Amino acid sequence: MIAAPAGYGKTTLAAEWLRNVRLETAWLSLDETDNDPAGFITYFITALRQCHPSLGEDALRLLLLPQPPR
């Protein structure tokens, strides 16, 4: 995780580092409105699925239900 105020070069730093490593990567950008836990987990799993398409299928299915399971 990289955290710093706007304009401090976070994106440039991360993009440059990723160009120099041989790792699968997922990118997730958040802001202050992304504070719902279910929404965050949905975004997180969706980002990871860029590398591993079947990851979190059951979790996403449950998170997208109109009513949470009991």
Side-chain angles (χ1 to χ4, degrees):
M1 181 167 110
I2 301 171
Y8 275 69
K10 297 176 297 293
T11 301
T12 302
L13 172 68
E16 185 61 31
W17 180 74
L18 290 171
R19 274 192 279 278
N20 292 301
V21 296
R22 293 181 187 257
L23 300 172
E24 291 182 295
T25 58
W27 192 276
L28 177 59
S29 295
L30 301 170
D31 63 30
E32 61 273 357
T33 64
D34 295 320
N35 60 0
D36 171 55
F40 168 76
I41 294 168
T42 301
Y43 295 151
F44 184 68
I45 292 171
T46 302
L48 292 176
R49 288 172 62 106
Q50 299 300 307
C51 299
H52 302 280
S54 63
L55 183 127
E57 288 176 359
D58 292 335
L60 278 180
R61 192 173 13 264
L62 292 172
L63 286 165
L64 298 175
L65 289 173
Q67 294 263 327
R70 294 177 186 233

